[in-house]
Coordinates of all heavy atoms in Angstrom, one line a residue:
M1 N 0.0 -19.1 21.9 CA -0.8 -19.0 20.6 C -0.1 -17.7 19.9 O 0.1 -16.7 20.5 CB -2.3 -18.6 20.8 CG -3.0 -18.5 19.6 SD -4.8 -18.2 19.9 CE -5.2 -19.9 20.2
T2 N 0.3 -17.9 18.7 CA 0.9 -16.8 17.9 C -0.2 -15.7 17.4 O -1.4 -16.1 17.4 CB 1.8 -17.2 16.7 OG1 0.8 -17.8 15.8 CG2 2.7 -18.2 17.1
V3 N 0.2 -14.6 17.0 CA -0.7 -13.6 16.5 C -1.4 -14.2 15.3 O -2.5 -14.0 15.0 CB 0.0 -12.3 16.1 CG1 -0.9 -11.2 15.4 CG2 0.5 -11.7 17.3
Q4 N -0.7 -14.9 14.4 CA -1.4 -15.5 13.1 C -2.5 -16.5 13.5 O -3.4 -16.6 12.8 CB -0.2 -16.3 12.3 CG 0.7 -15.3 11.7 CD 0.1 -14.4 10.6 OE1 -0.9 -14.9 10.0 NE2 0.7 -13.3 10.3
Q5 N -2.4 -17.0 14.7 CA -3.4 -18.0 15.1 C -4.6 -17.4 15.7 O -5.7 -18.0 15.8 CB -2.8 -19.0 16.0 CG -1.9 -20.0 15.3 CD -1.1 -20.8 16.4 OE1 -0.8 -20.4 17.5 NE2 -0.6 -22.0 15.9
E6 N -4.5 -16.1 16.1 CA -5.7 -15.4 16.8 C -6.6 -14.9 15.7 O -6.6 -13.7 15.5 CB -5.1 -14.4 17.7 CG -4.3 -14.8 18.9 CD -3.8 -13.8 19.6 OE1 -4.3 -12.5 19.5 OE2 -2.8 -13.9 20.4
T7 N -7.5 -15.7 15.1 CA -8.3 -15.3 14.1 C -9.7 -15.3 14.6 O -10.1 -15.7 15.6 CB -8.2 -16.1 12.8 OG1 -8.4 -17.5 13.1 CG2 -6.7 -16.0 12.2
R8 N -10.7 -14.9 13.7 CA -12.1 -15.0 14.0 C -12.6 -16.3 13.9 O -11.8 -17.3 13.5 CB -12.8 -14.1 13.1 CG -12.3 -12.6 13.0 CD -12.9 -12.0 11.8 NE -13.8 -11.0 12.4 CZ -14.6 -10.2 11.7 NH1 -14.4 -10.1 10.4 NH2 -15.5 -9.4 12.2
S9 N -13.8 -16.5 14.3 CA -14.5 -17.9 14.2 C -14.5 -18.4 12.7 O -14.4 -17.6 11.8 CB -15.9 -17.9 14.8 OG -16.7 -17.1 14.0
D10 N -14.6 -19.6 12.5 CA -14.5 -20.1 11.2 C -15.5 -19.6 10.2 O -15.2 -19.3 9.1 CB -14.8 -21.7 11.2 CG -13.7 -22.4 11.8 OD1 -12.5 -21.9 11.9 OD2 -13.9 -23.7 12.2
D11 N -16.7 -19.2 10.7 CA -17.6 -18.6 9.8 C -17.3 -17.1 9.4 O -17.9 -16.5 8.5 CB -19.1 -18.7 10.2 CG -19.3 -18.1 11.6 OD1 -18.4 -17.9 12.4 OD2 -20.5 -17.8 11.9
E12 N -16.5 -16.5 10.3 CA -16.2 -15.0 10.0 C -14.8 -14.9 9.8 O -14.3 -13.7 9.6 CB -16.5 -14.3 11.3 CG -18.0 -14.2 11.7 CD -18.1 -13.4 13.0 OE1 -17.3 -13.3 13.7 OE2 -19.3 -13.0 13.2
A13 N -14.0 -15.9 9.7 CA -12.5 -15.9 9.4 C -12.2 -15.1 8.1 O -12.9 -15.3 7.1 CB -12.0 -17.2 9.4
L14 N -11.2 -14.4 8.1 CA -10.8 -13.5 7.0 C -9.4 -13.9 6.6 O -8.6 -14.3 7.5 CB -10.8 -12.1 7.3 CG -12.2 -11.4 7.6 CD1 -12.1 -9.9 8.0 CD2 -13.2 -11.8 6.6
E15 N -9.1 -13.7 5.4 CA -7.7 -14.0 4.9 C -7.4 -12.9 3.9 O -8.2 -12.2 3.4 CB -7.6 -15.4 4.1 CG -8.5 -15.5 2.8 CD -8.6 -16.9 2.2 OE1 -8.0 -17.8 2.9 OE2 -9.2 -17.0 1.2
V16 N -6.0 -12.7 3.7 CA -5.6 -11.6 2.8 C -4.6 -12.2 1.9 O -3.7 -13.0 2.3 CB -4.9 -10.5 3.8 CG1 -3.8 -10.9 4.6 CG2 -4.6 -9.3 2.9
W17 N -4.5 -11.5 0.8 CA -3.5 -11.9 -0.2 C -3.1 -10.6 -1.0 O -4.0 -9.7 -1.1 CB -3.9 -13.1 -1.1 CG -5.0 -12.7 -2.1 CD1 -6.4 -12.8 -1.8 CD2 -5.0 -12.4 -3.5 NE1 -7.1 -12.4 -2.9 CE2 -6.3 -12.2 -3.9 CE3 -3.9 -12.3 -4.4 CZ2 -6.6 -11.9 -5.2 CZ3 -4.2 -11.9 -5.7 CH2 -5.5 -11.8 -6.1
I18 N -2.0 -10.7 -1.6 CA -1.5 -9.5 -2.5 C -1.4 -9.9 -3.8 O -0.7 -11.0 -4.1 CB -0.2 -9.0 -1.9 CG1 -0.4 -8.4 -0.4 CG2 0.4 -7.9 -2.8 CD1 0.9 -7.9 0.2
D19 N -1.8 -9.1 -4.8 CA -1.5 -9.3 -6.2 C -0.2 -8.6 -6.6 O -0.3 -7.5 -6.8 CB -2.7 -8.8 -7.0 CG -2.6 -9.0 -8.6 OD1 -1.4 -9.3 -9.0 OD2 -3.5 -8.8 -9.3
Q20 N 0.9 -9.4 -6.6 CA 2.2 -8.8 -6.9 C 2.2 -8.0 -8.3 O 3.1 -7.1 -8.5 CB 3.3 -9.8 -6.8 CG 3.7 -10.0 -5.3 CD 2.8 -10.8 -4.6 OE1 2.2 -11.7 -5.2 NE2 2.7 -10.7 -3.2
D21 N 1.4 -8.4 -9.2 CA 1.4 -7.8 -10.5 C 1.0 -6.3 -10.5 O 1.3 -5.6 -11.3 CB 0.5 -8.5 -11.6 CG 1.0 -9.9 -11.9 OD1 2.2 -10.1 -11.7 OD2 0.2 -10.8 -12.2
L22 N 0.3 -6.0 -9.3 CA -0.2 -4.6 -9.2 C 0.5 -3.9 -8.1 O 0.4 -2.7 -8.0 CB -1.7 -4.5 -8.8 CG -2.6 -5.2 -9.9 CD1 -4.1 -5.2 -9.4 CD2 -2.6 -4.5 -11.2
C23 N 1.3 -4.5 -7.4 CA 2.1 -3.9 -6.2 C 3.1 -2.9 -6.8 O 3.8 -3.1 -7.6 CB 2.8 -5.1 -5.3 SG 3.7 -4.4 -4.0
T24 N 3.0 -1.8 -6.0 CA 4.0 -0.6 -6.5 C 5.2 -0.6 -5.6 O 6.0 0.2 -5.8 CB 3.1 0.8 -6.4 OG1 2.6 0.9 -5.1 CG2 2.1 0.8 -7.5
G25 N 5.2 -1.4 -4.5 CA 6.3 -1.4 -3.6 C 6.5 -0.3 -2.7 O 7.5 -0.1 -2.1
D26 N 5.4 0.4 -2.5 CA 5.4 1.6 -1.5 C 5.7 1.2 -0.1 O 6.2 1.9 0.7 CB 4.2 2.4 -1.7 CG 4.1 3.2 -3.0 OD1 4.7 4.3 -3.0 OD2 3.5 2.6 -4.0
G27 N 5.3 0.0 0.3 CA 5.5 -0.5 1.7 C 4.5 0.0 2.7 O 4.7 -0.2 3.8
I28 N 3.4 0.7 2.2 CA 2.4 1.1 3.2 C 1.8 0.0 4.1 O 1.7 0.1 5.2 CB 1.3 1.9 2.5 CG1 1.9 3.3 1.9 CG2 0.1 2.2 3.3 CD1 1.0 4.0 1.1
C29 N 1.6 -1.1 3.4 CA 1.1 -2.3 4.1 C 2.0 -2.7 5.2 O 1.6 -3.1 6.3 CB 0.7 -3.4 3.1 SG 2.2 -4.0 2.2
A30 N 3.3 -2.8 5.0 CA 4.2 -3.2 5.9 C 4.3 -2.2 7.0 O 4.7 -2.7 8.1 CB 5.6 -3.5 5.3
Q31 N 4.1 -1.0 6.8 CA 4.1 0.0 7.9 C 2.8 -0.2 8.8 O 3.0 -0.1 10.0 CB 4.2 1.4 7.4 CG 5.4 1.7 6.6 CD 5.3 3.1 6.0 OE1 4.4 3.8 6.1 NE2 6.4 3.4 5.1
Y32 N 1.7 -0.5 8.2 CA 0.5 -0.6 9.0 C 0.4 -2.0 9.7 O 0.1 -2.0 10.9 CB -0.8 -0.6 8.0 CG -1.3 0.7 7.8 CD1 -1.2 1.3 6.5 CD2 -2.2 1.5 8.6 CE1 -1.7 2.6 6.2 CE2 -2.7 2.7 8.4 CZ -2.4 3.2 7.1 OH -3.0 4.4 6.9
A33 N 0.8 -3.0 9.0 CA 0.8 -4.4 9.7 C 2.0 -5.2 9.3 O 2.0 -6.1 8.6 CB -0.5 -5.1 9.2
P34 N 3.1 -4.9 10.0 CA 4.3 -5.6 9.7 C 4.3 -7.1 10.1 O 5.1 -7.9 9.6 CB 5.4 -4.9 10.5 CG 4.7 -4.1 11.5 CD 3.4 -3.8 11.0
E35 N 3.4 -7.5 10.9 CA 3.2 -8.8 11.3 C 2.5 -9.6 10.2 O 2.6 -10.8 10.2 CB 2.2 -9.0 12.5 CG 2.7 -8.2 13.8 CD 2.2 -6.7 13.9 OE1 1.7 -6.2 12.9 OE2 2.4 -6.2 14.9
V36 N 1.9 -9.0 9.3 CA 1.2 -9.6 8.2 C 1.9 -9.4 6.8 O 1.9 -10.4 6.0 CB -0.2 -9.1 8.1 CG1 -1.0 -9.8 6.9 CG2 -1.0 -9.4 9.5
F37 N 2.5 -8.3 6.6 CA 3.1 -7.8 5.3 C 4.5 -7.6 5.4 O 5.0 -7.1 6.4 CB 2.4 -6.7 4.8 CG 0.9 -6.7 4.6 CD1 0.1 -6.0 5.5 CD2 0.2 -7.4 3.7 CE1 -1.3 -6.1 5.4 CE2 -1.1 -7.6 3.5 CZ -1.9 -6.8 4.5
E38 N 5.3 -7.9 4.3 CA 6.7 -7.7 4.3 C 7.2 -7.3 2.8 O 6.7 -8.1 1.9 CB 7.5 -8.7 4.9 CG 9.0 -8.4 5.0 CD 9.7 -9.6 5.6 OE1 9.2 -10.2 6.6 OE2 10.9 -9.9 5.3
L39 N 8.1 -6.4 2.7 CA 8.7 -6.2 1.3 C 9.8 -7.2 1.2 O 10.6 -7.4 2.1 CB 9.1 -4.8 1.2 CG 8.1 -3.7 1.2 CD1 8.7 -2.3 1.0 CD2 7.2 -3.9 0.0
D40 N 9.9 -7.8 0.1 CA 11.0 -8.7 -0.3 C 12.2 -7.9 -1.0 O 11.9 -6.8 -1.4 CB 10.4 -9.9 -1.1 CG 11.5 -11.1 -1.1 OD1 12.4 -11.1 -0.3 OD2 11.3 -12.0 -2.0
I41 N 13.2 -8.5 -1.3 CA 14.3 -7.9 -2.0 C 14.0 -7.6 -3.4 O 14.6 -6.6 -3.9 CB 15.6 -8.9 -2.0 CG1 15.3 -10.2 -2.7 CG2 16.1 -9.1 -0.6 CD1 16.5 -11.0 -2.9
D42 N 12.9 -8.1 -3.9 CA 12.4 -7.7 -5.3 C 11.7 -6.4 -5.2 O 11.2 -5.8 -6.2 CB 11.6 -8.7 -5.9 CG 10.4 -9.1 -5.3 OD1 10.0 -8.5 -4.2 OD2 9.6 -10.1 -5.7
G43 N 11.4 -5.8 -4.1 CA 10.7 -4.6 -3.9 C 9.2 -4.7 -3.8 O 8.5 -3.7 -3.7
L44 N 8.7 -5.8 -3.9 CA 7.3 -6.1 -3.8 C 6.8 -6.6 -2.4 O 7.6 -7.2 -1.6 CB 6.8 -7.1 -4.9 CG 7.2 -6.7 -6.3 CD1 6.8 -7.9 -7.3 CD2 6.5 -5.5 -6.7
A45 N 5.6 -6.3 -2.1 CA 5.0 -6.8 -0.8 C 4.5 -8.2 -0.9 O 3.9 -8.5 -2.0 CB 4.0 -5.8 -0.3
Y46 N 4.5 -8.9 0.1 CA 4.1 -10.3 0.3 C 3.4 -10.4 1.7 O 3.8 -9.7 2.5 CB 5.2 -11.4 0.1 CG 5.8 -11.3 -1.2 CD1 6.8 -10.5 -1.5 CD2 5.3 -12.2 -2.3 CE1 7.4 -10.5 -2.8 CE2 5.9 -12.2 -3.5 CZ 6.9 -11.4 -3.8 OH 7.5 -11.3 -5.0
V47 N 2.5 -11.5 1.8 CA 1.9 -11.8 3.1 C 2.9 -12.7 3.8 O 3.7 -13.4 3.1 CB 0.5 -12.4 3.0 CG1 -0.5 -11.3 2.4 CG2 0.5 -13.6 2.1
K48 N 2.8 -12.8 5.1 CA 3.6 -13.6 5.9 C 2.7 -14.7 6.4 O 1.6 -14.6 6.9 CB 4.3 -12.8 6.9 CG 5.3 -11.9 6.5 CD 5.7 -10.7 7.4 CE 6.4 -11.3 8.7 NZ 6.9 -10.1 9.4
G49 N 3.3 -15.9 6.5 CA 2.6 -17.0 7.1 C 3.0 -17.3 8.5 O 3.6 -16.4 9.3
A50 N 2.7 -18.5 9.1 CA 3.1 -18.8 10.4 C 4.6 -18.8 10.5 O 5.3 -18.9 9.6 CB 2.7 -20.3 10.7
D51 N 5.1 -18.5 11.7 CA 6.5 -18.3 12.0 C 7.2 -17.2 11.1 O 8.4 -17.2 10.9 CB 7.3 -19.6 11.8 CG 6.7 -20.7 12.6 OD1 6.3 -20.4 13.8 OD2 6.7 -21.8 12.2
D52 N 6.4 -16.2 10.6 CA 6.8 -15.0 9.9 C 7.5 -15.4 8.7 O 8.3 -14.7 8.1 CB 7.8 -14.2 10.8 CG 7.1 -13.4 11.8 OD1 5.8 -13.2 11.7 OD2 7.7 -13.0 12.9
E53 N 7.2 -16.5 8.0 CA 7.8 -16.9 6.7 C 7.1 -16.1 5.7 O 5.8 -15.9 5.7 CB 7.5 -18.4 6.5 CG 6.1 -18.8 6.2 CD 5.8 -20.1 6.6 OE1 6.0 -20.5 7.8 OE2 5.3 -20.9 5.7
L54 N 7.9 -15.6 4.7 CA 7.3 -14.9 3.5 C 6.7 -15.8 2.6 O 7.3 -16.8 2.1 CB 8.5 -14.2 2.9 CG 8.2 -12.9 2.1 CD1 7.5 -11.8 3.1 CD2 9.5 -12.2 1.6
L55 N 5.4 -15.6 2.2 CA 4.7 -16.5 1.3 C 4.8 -15.9 -0.2 O 4.1 -15.0 -0.5 CB 3.3 -16.8 1.7 CG 3.1 -17.2 3.1 CD1 1.5 -17.3 3.5 CD2 3.8 -18.6 3.3
Q56 N 5.7 -16.5 -0.9 CA 6.0 -15.8 -2.2 C 5.2 -16.5 -3.4 O 5.3 -16.1 -4.5 CB 7.5 -15.8 -2.5 CG 8.2 -15.0 -1.5 CD 9.8 -15.1 -1.7 OE1 10.3 -16.1 -1.6 NE2 10.3 -13.9 -2.1
A57 N 4.5 -17.6 -3.2 CA 3.7 -18.2 -4.3 C 2.6 -17.3 -4.7 O 2.0 -16.6 -3.9 CB 3.1 -19.6 -3.8
K58 N 2.4 -17.3 -5.9 CA 1.3 -16.4 -6.6 C 0.0 -16.8 -5.9 O -0.4 -17.9 -5.8 CB 1.3 -16.6 -8.0 CG 0.3 -15.7 -8.8 CD 0.5 -15.8 -10.3 CE -0.5 -14.9 -11.0 NZ 0.0 -13.6 -11.1
G59 N -0.7 -15.7 -5.4 CA -2.0 -15.9 -4.7 C -2.0 -16.5 -3.4 O -3.0 -16.9 -2.8
A60 N -0.8 -16.5 -2.7 CA -0.6 -17.0 -1.4 C -1.4 -16.2 -0.4 O -1.6 -14.9 -0.4 CB 0.8 -17.0 -0.9
V61 N -2.2 -16.9 0.5 CA -3.1 -16.2 1.4 C -2.6 -16.5 2.9 O -2.0 -17.5 3.1 CB -4.5 -16.6 1.2 CG1 -5.1 -16.3 -0.1 CG2 -4.8 -18.1 1.6
T62 N -3.0 -15.7 3.7 CA -2.7 -15.9 5.1 C -3.9 -15.4 5.9 O -4.6 -14.5 5.5 CB -1.4 -15.1 5.7 OG1 -0.9 -15.6 6.8 CG2 -1.6 -13.5 5.7
P63 N -4.1 -16.0 7.1 CA -5.3 -15.5 8.0 C -5.1 -14.2 8.4 O -3.9 -13.6 8.6 CB -5.2 -16.5 9.2 CG -4.4 -17.7 8.7 CD -3.5 -17.1 7.7
V64 N -6.1 -13.4 8.6 CA -6.1 -12.0 9.2 C -6.3 -12.2 10.7 O -7.4 -12.5 11.1 CB -7.1 -11.1 8.6 CG1 -7.1 -9.8 9.3 CG2 -7.0 -10.9 7.1
P65 N -5.3 -11.9 11.5 CA -5.4 -12.0 12.9 C -6.5 -10.9 13.4 O -6.3 -9.7 13.0 CB -4.0 -11.7 13.5 CG -3.1 -12.0 12.3 CD -3.9 -11.5 11.1
L66 N -7.4 -11.3 14.3 CA -8.3 -10.4 14.7 C -7.8 -9.1 15.4 O -8.2 -8.0 15.0 CB -9.3 -11.0 15.7 CG -10.6 -10.2 16.2 CD1 -11.3 -9.8 15.0 CD2 -11.3 -11.0 17.1
P67 N -6.7 -9.2 16.2 CA -6.2 -7.9 16.8 C -5.6 -7.0 15.6 O -5.3 -5.8 15.9 CB -5.0 -8.5 17.6 CG -5.3 -9.8 17.9 CD -6.1 -10.3 16.7
L68 N -5.3 -7.5 14.4 CA -4.8 -6.7 13.4 C -5.7 -6.4 12.2 O -5.2 -5.8 11.2 CB -3.4 -7.4 12.8 CG -2.4 -7.7 13.8 CD1 -1.3 -8.5 13.0 CD2 -1.8 -6.4 14.3
L69 N -7.0 -6.7 12.4 CA -8.0 -6.5 11.4 C -8.0 -5.0 10.9 O -8.0 -4.8 9.7 CB -9.4 -6.9 11.8 CG -10.5 -6.7 10.9 CD1 -10.3 -7.4 9.6 CD2 -11.8 -7.1 11.6
T70 N -8.1 -4.1 11.8 CA -8.1 -2.7 11.4 C -6.8 -2.3 10.6 O -7.0 -1.6 9.6 CB -8.2 -1.8 12.6 OG1 -9.5 -2.1 13.3 CG2 -8.2 -0.3 12.3
D71 N -5.7 -2.8 11.0 CA -4.4 -2.4 10.4 C -4.4 -3.0 8.9 O -4.0 -2.4 8.0 CB -3.3 -2.9 11.1 CG -3.1 -2.1 12.4 OD1 -3.5 -1.0 12.5 OD2 -2.4 -2.7 13.3
V72 N -5.0 -4.3 8.8 CA -4.9 -4.9 7.4 C -6.0 -4.3 6.6 O -5.6 -4.0 5.3 CB -5.3 -6.4 7.6 CG1 -5.5 -7.1 6.3 CG2 -4.1 -7.1 8.4
V73 N -7.1 -3.9 7.1 CA -8.1 -3.1 6.3 C -7.6 -1.8 5.9 O -7.9 -1.4 4.7 CB -9.5 -3.1 7.1 CG1 -10.4 -2.1 6.4 CG2 -10.1 -4.5 7.2
D74 N -6.9 -1.1 6.8 CA -6.4 0.2 6.4 C -5.4 0.0 5.3 O -5.1 0.9 4.4 CB -5.8 0.9 7.7 CG -6.9 1.4 8.6 OD1 -8.0 1.5 8.2 OD2 -6.5 1.7 9.8
S75 N -4.6 -1.0 5.5 CA -3.6 -1.3 4.4 C -4.2 -1.4 3.0 O -3.8 -0.8 2.0 CB -2.8 -2.6 4.8 OG -2.0 -2.5 5.9
A76 N -5.3 -2.2 3.0 CA -6.1 -2.4 1.7 C -6.6 -1.1 1.2 O -6.6 -0.8 0.0 CB -7.2 -3.4 1.9
K77 N -7.1 -0.3 2.1 CA -7.7 1.0 1.6 C -6.7 2.0 1.2 O -7.0 2.8 0.3 CB -8.5 1.6 2.8 CG -9.8 0.9 3.2 CD -10.6 1.5 4.4 CE -11.8 0.7 4.7 NZ -12.5 1.3 5.8
E78 N -5.6 2.0 1.8 CA -4.6 3.0 1.5 C -3.6 2.6 0.4 O -2.7 3.4 0.0 CB -3.8 3.5 2.8 CG -4.7 4.1 3.8 CD -5.2 5.3 3.5 OE1 -4.6 6.2 2.8 OE2 -6.4 5.6 3.9
C79 N -3.6 1.3 0.0 CA -2.6 0.8 -0.9 C -2.6 1.5 -2.3 O -3.8 1.6 -3.0 CB -2.8 -0.7 -1.2 SG -1.7 -1.4 -2.4
P80 N -1.6 2.2 -2.8 CA -1.6 3.0 -4.0 C -1.7 2.0 -5.2 O -2.2 2.4 -6.2 CB -0.3 3.8 -4.0 CG 0.5 3.1 -2.9 CD -0.3 2.4 -2.0
G81 N -1.3 0.7 -5.1 CA -1.4 -0.2 -6.1 C -2.8 -0.8 -6.2 O -3.0 -1.7 -7.1
D82 N -3.5 -0.7 -5.1 CA -4.9 -1.3 -5.1 C -4.7 -2.8 -5.3 O -5.4 -3.4 -6.1 CB -5.8 -0.7 -6.1 CG -7.2 -0.5 -5.6 OD1 -7.5 -0.6 -4.4 OD2 -8.1 -0.3 -6.5
C83 N -3.8 -3.4 -4.6 CA -3.4 -4.8 -4.8 C -3.6 -5.8 -3.6 O -3.4 -7.0 -3.7 CB -2.0 -5.0 -5.2 SG -0.8 -4.4 -4.0
I84 N -4.2 -5.2 -2.5 CA -4.4 -6.0 -1.3 C -5.9 -6.4 -1.2 O -6.9 -5.7 -1.3 CB -4.0 -5.2 -0.1 CG1 -2.6 -4.9 -0.1 CG2 -4.4 -6.1 1.2 CD1 -2.1 -4.0 1.1
H85 N -6.2 -7.8 -1.1 CA -7.5 -8.3 -1.2 C -7.7 -9.0 0.2 O -6.9 -9.9 0.7 CB -7.5 -9.4 -2.2 CG -7.2 -8.8 -3.6 ND1 -8.2 -8.5 -4.4 CD2 -6.1 -8.6 -4.3 CE1 -7.7 -8.0 -5.6 NE2 -6.4 -8.2 -5.4
V86 N -8.8 -8.6 0.9 CA -9.2 -9.2 2.2 C -10.5 -9.8 1.9 O -11.5 -9.2 1.4 CB -9.3 -8.1 3.3 CG1 -9.7 -8.8 4.6 CG2 -8.0 -7.4 3.5
R87 N -10.7 -11.1 2.2 CA -11.9 -11.9 1.9 C -12.2 -12.9 3.0 O -11.3 -13.2 3.8 CB -11.8 -12.6 0.6 CG -10.7 -13.7 0.6 CD -10.5 -14.3 -0.8 NE -9.5 -15.3 -0.8 CZ -8.9 -15.8 -1.8 NH1 -9.2 -15.3 -3.0 NH2 -7.9 -16.7 -1.7
R88 N -13.5 -13.2 3.0 CA -14.0 -14.2 3.9 C -13.4 -15.6 3.5 O -13.5 -15.9 2.3 CB -15.5 -14.3 4.0 CG -16.2 -13.4 5.0 CD -17.6 -13.8 5.3 NE -18.3 -13.7 4.0 CZ -19.2 -12.8 3.7 NH1 -19.4 -11.7 4.4 NH2 -19.9 -12.9 2.5
V89 N -13.1 -16.4 4.4 CA -12.5 -17.8 4.1 C -13.7 -18.6 3.7 O -13.5 -19.4 2.7 CB -11.8 -18.4 5.4 CG1 -11.5 -19.8 5.1 CG2 -10.6 -17.6 5.7
S90 N -14.9 -18.5 4.3 CA -15.9 -19.4 4.1 C -16.5 -19.4 2.6 O -16.7 -20.4 2.1 CB -17.1 -19.2 5.0 OG -17.5 -17.9 4.9
D91 N -16.6 -18.2 2.0 CA -17.2 -18.1 0.7 C -16.4 -17.4 -0.3 O -16.8 -17.1 -1.4 CB -18.6 -17.5 0.8 CG -18.5 -16.1 1.4 OD1 -17.4 -15.5 1.7 OD2 -19.7 -15.6 1.7
K92 N -15.1 -16.9 0.2 CA -14.1 -16.3 -0.7 C -14.7 -14.9 -1.2 O -14.3 -14.3 -2.2 CB -13.7 -17.0 -1.9 CG -13.1 -18.4 -1.5 CD -11.8 -18.2 -0.7 CE -11.3 -19.7 -0.5 NZ -10.4 -19.7 0.7
I93 N -15.7 -14.2 -0.5 CA -16.2 -13.0 -0.9 C -15.3 -11.9 -0.4 O -14.9 -11.9 0.8 CB -17.6 -12.7 -0.2 CG1 -18.6 -13.7 -0.7 CG2 -18.1 -11.3 -0.5 CD1 -19.2 -13.5 -2.2
E94 N -14.8 -11.0 -1.4 CA -13.9 -10.0 -1.0 C -14.7 -8.9 -0.2 O -15.6 -8.3 -0.8 CB -13.2 -9.4 -2.2 CG -12.2 -8.4 -1.9 CD -11.1 -8.2 -2.9 OE1 -10.7 -9.2 -3.6 OE2 -10.8 -7.0 -3.2
L95 N -14.2 -8.5 1.0 CA -14.8 -7.5 1.8 C -14.1 -6.2 1.7 O -14.7 -5.1 1.8 CB -14.9 -7.8 3.3 CG -15.6 -9.3 3.5 CD1 -15.6 -9.6 4.9 CD2 -17.0 -9.1 3.1
Y96 N -12.8 -6.2 1.5 CA -11.9 -5.0 1.3 C -11.0 -5.2 0.2 O -10.4 -6.3 0.1 CB -11.2 -4.7 2.6 CG -12.2 -4.6 3.9 CD1 -12.3 -5.7 4.7 CD2 -12.9 -3.5 4.1 CE1 -13.1 -5.7 5.8 CE2 -13.6 -3.4 5.2 CZ -13.9 -4.5 6.0 OH -14.6 -4.5 7.1
G97 N -10.6 -4.2 -0.6 CA -9.8 -4.3 -1.7 C -10.5 -4.0 -3.0 O -11.6 -3.6 -3.1
P98 N -9.7 -4.1 -4.1 CA -10.2 -3.6 -5.4 C -11.5 -4.4 -5.9 O -12.2 -3.9 -6.8 CB -9.1 -3.9 -6.3 CG -8.2 -4.9 -5.7 CD -8.4 -4.6 -4.2
D99 N -11.8 -5.6 -5.5 CA -12.8 -6.4 -5.9 C -14.0 -6.4 -4.9 O -15.0 -7.1 -5.2 CB -12.4 -7.8 -6.3 CG -11.4 -7.9 -7.4 OD1 -11.4 -6.9 -8.3 OD2 -10.6 -8.8 -7.4
A100 N -14.0 -5.6 -3.9 CA -15.0 -5.6 -2.9 C -16.2 -5.0 -3.5 O -16.1 -4.0 -4.3 CB -14.5 -4.9 -1.6
E101 N -17.4 -5.4 -3.1 CA -18.7 -4.8 -3.6 C -19.1 -3.6 -2.7 O -18.9 -3.6 -1.6 CB -19.7 -5.9 -3.6 CG -19.4 -6.9 -4.6 CD -20.4 -8.0 -4.7 OE1 -21.5 -7.9 -4.1 OE2 -20.2 -9.0 -5.3

């Protein structure tokens, strides 16, 4: 089982995406969770999917692996561009990021 597959149960599963329009390219997310985030040659951060593929489609999401939850949440909290969104898969409610309540 890969790290990307080690997620929470379906009702608690979380996913993360990056709004590249707001990304400042500081790379803090890639430092916190390099298994989930990566900077591309355009200088912007993207999420990674299965097999570490870079997901460059606008609004691309990837599961948040349970062992990396703290690192992904810290990435969202520390992001200077305020562009990392962590939400529940079941209802799309943002739990961490600029649109969290």
Side-chain angles (χ1 to χ4, degrees):
M1 182 176 285
T2 68
V3 172
Q4 289 291 336
Q5 293 169 327
E6 294 175 21
T7 58
R8 304 171 103 179
S9 68
D10 286 342
D11 59 335
E12 297 178 340
L14 299 179
E15 61 188 7
V16 61
W17 67 281
I18 296 176
D19 183 345
Q20 279 77 29
D21 292 337
L22 300 175
C23 181
T24 58
D26 288 274
I28 291 171
C29 57
Q31 292 175 8
Y32 274 105
E35 301 89 347
V36 178
F37 306 107
E38 184 176 324
L39 292 177
D40 197 16
I41 58 172
D42 63 4
L44 301 177
Y46 294 87
V47 294
K48 294 162 66 171
D51 302 325
D52 286 336
E53 70 208 57
L54 208 56
L55 304 177
Q56 295 177 299
K58 187 172 180 85
V61 298
T62 196
V64 176
L66 187 55
L68 299 176
L69 178 60
T70 300
D71 294 335
V72 171
V73 169
D74 287 346
S75 296
K77 289 178 178 178
E78 298 298 323
C79 177
D82 221 13
C83 65
I84 300 173
H85 303 263
V86 181
R87 64 187 180 195
R88 270 192 308 255
V89 172
S90 61
D91 58 10
K92 304 298 185 202
I93 299 284
E94 186 161 318
L95 302 178
Y96 306 99
D99 298 331
E101 295 180 8

